[in-house]
Every structure is written in C-alpha cells, then in structure tokens.
Amino acid sequence: TLCILLWALCVYKEFRNIWLTLEGIWQLPRTPETVLRDNKLQSLSKLRFKWLASTCITRFVIATVLLISGTQWLARTTSITELMLNAVALNAILDVDEFLFAGFTPLSIQVAIEKLEPITIRQSRRRSQSESLVLFLLLLFTALFPYLALLQPLGQTMLAVKWNLCAGNQQFVVAKNTNSQVIVGFETGSALSEAANTVLQLAVERQVHQSPDDRYGYYISFELPSIFERARSRTMAQESDQFSFCIETDHLDPGGSLHGDPVLWYNVAAPRMRTA
C-alpha cells in the first residue's frame, strides 16, 4: 500500500505541473505572433497555444494510463525486492521528458528557458481551501481504493491457494487402478512420525547452538563417516548385537560393571535416554 501511495503521489505531482502549465498559458493573451520581451512571455500565438495545450492533454493522458497500469502492476507484485525495483522503474518513466531535455536540447535553448520569468498564477483563499479539500480526498481515495479493490482480493486469493495446497489431511497416498477404475490409497503419516520429526528438529537445533567446546551431542550419537549409513538403518536386533550390555543394569545402576563410564554415558546412554 505504501509503494502504491508513493507512486500515486508522483503521478499527482505530474498532474499538478500539467494543470499549472495549462493555467499559465491560458492567462497569456493570444496574438498572431508570440511576443517575448525582457525574458518574459507577453503573449502567445494561436498556433503555439494549440501546440502547448495539446501537449498538456497528451501528458495528462499518459500520466493517467501510467497511474492505473502502475497501480495494478505494483498491487500484483508479491516480492518486496521486486516491489521496490518496480516502483523506481515507474518513477523513472515520468522523468523521461526531463532526461531528453537535459541530454538533447541545445545549451542555448536551455539557458534561454532558465532565464524566462515565471508566469504569475492568481491565488485566493477560497481556491487554497478548495485545493486542500480536493487533495485530502484524493489522498484518502488513493490509500483506500487500491487496498479494497486490488490488495485485499489478492490476499484472499493467496490464502485460498495456500488452503487448497497445504491445508487439511495430507498423510495419504492415492492411485487409480486403470483396469478396475478403482481409486486406492493408504495412510502415510501418524502421530508417531510427527513426534519423530519433532525430536529430529529439536536435536538439530540443539546441536546448532551447542558450545564449540562440547565434543558430545545432546541428542545425537555421532558415528564415524564410514559407518554412518549402517548406524542410520540398522534394526533393533542389530542394535542389541552392537551393544552387548544393558544401560539400566550395567551403567546406570551404581553396582554395574560400567557405572560411571563417561565415554559410554556421552556417546551411547545419554543421547538415547534424552530421545526416548
């Protein structure tokens, strides 16, 4: 919403410049030829007035199209990085005429235009109050309309897509039997697997934030790289063959033969007990 509001303010600035230009040339008298005296426009020829008026109308149409299309473009941009780049690119479009004037207009003409005295625009208290009211209503409209008409529907659509793709029960697999036309399936998830994933995530987070001086894992039983795959997939029978002692009776019991062994505690007993 903020980027859309800033873009609209840039376009409104262009609208105001167009209006002031049109109002200024409208105040000048129309004569057969343009009269320039003492670096001040005294009158405009009818042909030049028509050219300037048509230029202002063209600028107004282009700015209106940019305002509508640019607002829609920014409203459909979901990435913050792309949103900032798009806003800068849109703002650069409004400055193309100034770039062309600065880069391709002869220097003598630029100096002559800079020396022209500005045309005085008549101001009044009533006009100032009317402009303030119109600008406030325009700012309010710019803040509310894009949100209600563009951003809110887009957010609801994204939530609906998220719900259809990610919500509900997803712990199943289905397939269609092309011979019997029967759809079959089986459940793939359970509370046990979710708990296992939670313990695995907890083990990773604990290990990531563990002190570098601690050589042992809190939940993880570290193995050599050469036997990692075997340790990851061995069965309970293979586990019992690997460790021929009982943790409860041989290690935890004060009278056990392996009681107080620090290597056994940190590498084998402690990680299994904390994971259980």
Side-chain angles (χ1 to χ4, degrees):
T1 303
L2 181 59
C3 286
I4 294 176
L5 182 61
L6 293 177
W7 164 241
L9 292 177
C10 293
V11 180
Y12 294 158
K13 177 183 176 183
E14 180 71 11
F15 284 156
R16 168 165 280 190
N17 292 335
I18 295 171
W19 172 255
L20 292 177
T21 302
L22 190 59
E23 188 177 7
I25 63 176
W26 187 270
Q27 293 181 4
L28 294 174
R30 253 74 72 191
T31 56
E33 293 184 358
T34 301
V35 178
L36 176 63
R37 187 181 301 115
D38 297 330
N39 294 326
K40 184 176 181 180
L41 280 173
Q42 302 294 331
S43 64
L44 281 177
S45 65
K46 295 181 179 179
L47 180 60
R48 185 159 294 175
F49 173 79
K50 293 178 180 178
W51 274 109
L52 290 175
S54 61
T55 301
C56 291
I57 295 174
T58 303
R59 289 173 60 190
F60 177 80
V61 173
I62 294 175
T64 303
V65 173
L66 287 175
L67 175 63
I68 298 174
S69 59
T71 300
Q72 294 177 344
W73 189 30
L74 292 176
R76 294 170 183 170
T77 304
T78 56
S79 173
I80 299 298
T81 305
E82 294 181 359
L83 185 64
M84 299 301 296
L85 293 176
N86 293 343
V88 173
L90 286 172
N91 191 32
I93 296 176
L94 295 176
D95 297 331
V96 170
D97 56 339
E98 297 182 6
F99 296 155
L100 293 175
F101 176 79
F104 293 96
T105 305
L107 185 60
S108 59
I109 297 179
Q110 295 185 27
V111 173
I113 293 177
E114 291 177 358
K115 290 182 178 180
L116 283 176
E117 295 185 9
I119 301 174
T120 303
I121 303 297
R122 300 183 183 92
Q123 297 287 343
S124 64
R125 181 178 179 181
R126 183 177 180 180
R127 172 175 174 170
S128 178
Q129 293 176 349
S130 301
E131 284 185 354
S132 299
L133 178 61
V134 171
L135 292 176
F136 173 75
L137 294 177
L138 194 60
L139 183 64
L140 187 63
F141 173 81
T142 305
L144 294 180
F145 180 77
Y147 175 77
L148 297 176
L150 299 174
L151 298 179
Q152 191 174 29
L154 177 63
Q156 293 176 352
T157 302
M158 295 177 67
L159 288 177
V161 171
K162 181 180 179 180
W163 173 264
N164 292 330
L165 293 178
C166 304
N169 181 21
Q170 299 181 4
Q171 306 296 332
F172 62 92
V173 174
V174 296
K176 182 179 180 181
N177 189 323
T178 56
N179 297 321
S180 62
Q181 302 299 318
V182 176
I183 299 178
V184 296
F186 66 92
E187 294 184 356
T188 59
S190 62
L192 181 60
S193 63
E194 293 179 0
N197 291 333
T198 303
V199 172
L200 180 60
Q201 183 180 2
L202 185 62
V204 173
E205 292 178 354
R206 177 62 185 249
Q207 190 64 31
V208 167
H209 300 288
Q210 187 167 294
S211 173
D213 298 332
D214 195 347
R215 297 180 293 116
Y216 303 101
Y218 190 83
Y219 292 100
I220 305 173
S221 297
F222 285 97
E223 303 285 353
L224 296 175
S226 58
I227 62 174
F228 172 77
E229 286 298 328
R230 282 183 294 166
R232 189 177 67 90
S233 60
R234 61 192 176 204
T235 63
M236 289 299 295
Q238 294 172 339
E239 187 84 6
S240 63
D241 293 338
Q242 178 74 17
F243 304 103
S244 58
F245 57 87
C246 178
I247 294 178
E248 286 81 359
T249 58
D250 295 336
H251 179 66
L252 297 180
D253 187 72
S257 59
L258 299 176
H259 179 70
D261 189 334
V263 177
L264 178 61
W265 168 251
Y266 287 112
N267 286 339
V268 180
R272 283 164 173 75
M273 294 181 62
R274 292 164 182 158
T275 307

